Amino acid sequence: MEALGHKRWAIAEGYIPSQSSFSDPALISHETACILNVGNKTAHVAITIFFEDREPVGPYLVTVGPRRTLHLRFNDLEKPAPIPRDTAYSSVFESDVPIIVQHTRLDSRRAEVSLLSTIAYAEA
């Protein structure tokens, strides 16, 4: 299949709550970047995290195989540093091949779970 998407994406809104009303890993408060690579080449993606009051952190390096998807939890990013909880942040994705990025947040601080999902901003 021919590649689809763009090489640069941004998610302006990011926030990982430190609290959850559930212990089930699927229901713990989290942020996710869903990365889709429909092309025939592996995508090498560098993610940089931006903050309101400090220098950016990154790159976080991930790969997405050809014709594959990756649901990447920001909560799980560790190197070069964990993403701090209860802190506003933004993210930029730079890939060597076109990809599609979607952002999702599950906020389970209250028993009434809140879910947000949106397509990231793309730059050709």
Side-chain angles (χ1 to χ4, degrees):
M1 180 178 279
E2 186 176 328
L4 177 66
H6 297 283
K7 292 183 178 181
R8 297 183 74 198
W9 293 81
I11 301 171
E13 208 287 327
Y15 185 86
I16 304 171
S18 63
Q19 297 178 346
S20 298
S21 294
F22 305 94
S23 59
D24 181 340
L27 293 173
I28 291 175
S29 295
H30 65 270
E31 296 264 330
T32 303
C34 304
I35 305 169
L36 173 62
N37 176 11
V38 302
N40 295 317
K41 296 180 181 177
T42 297
H44 300 91
V45 183
I47 305 164
T48 303
I49 305 296
F50 294 84
F51 300 98
E52 294 176 345
D53 59 355
R54 63 189 96 166
E55 288 299 308
V57 176
Y60 297 85
L61 304 175
V62 298
T63 59
V64 184
R67 301 174 307 283
R68 298 291 186 266
T69 186
L70 173 66
H71 287 64
L72 175 72
R73 281 195 184 195
F74 286 89
N75 303 45
D76 296 337
L77 294 174
E78 295 289 331
K79 292 183 183 180
I83 308 285
R85 304 313 189 249
D86 299 322
T87 303
Y89 68 90
S90 299
S91 53
V92 171
F93 295 69
E94 296 178 290
S95 176
D96 60 345
V97 299
I99 57 173
I100 296 171
V101 177
Q102 181 175 341
H103 169 239
T104 302
R105 172 187 299 142
L106 178 73
D107 184 344
S108 66
R109 288 178 281 186
R110 299 178 188 256
E112 304 81 25
V113 173
S114 174
L115 183 67
L116 158 91
S117 187
T118 185
I119 294 293
Y121 168 82
E123 183 173 292

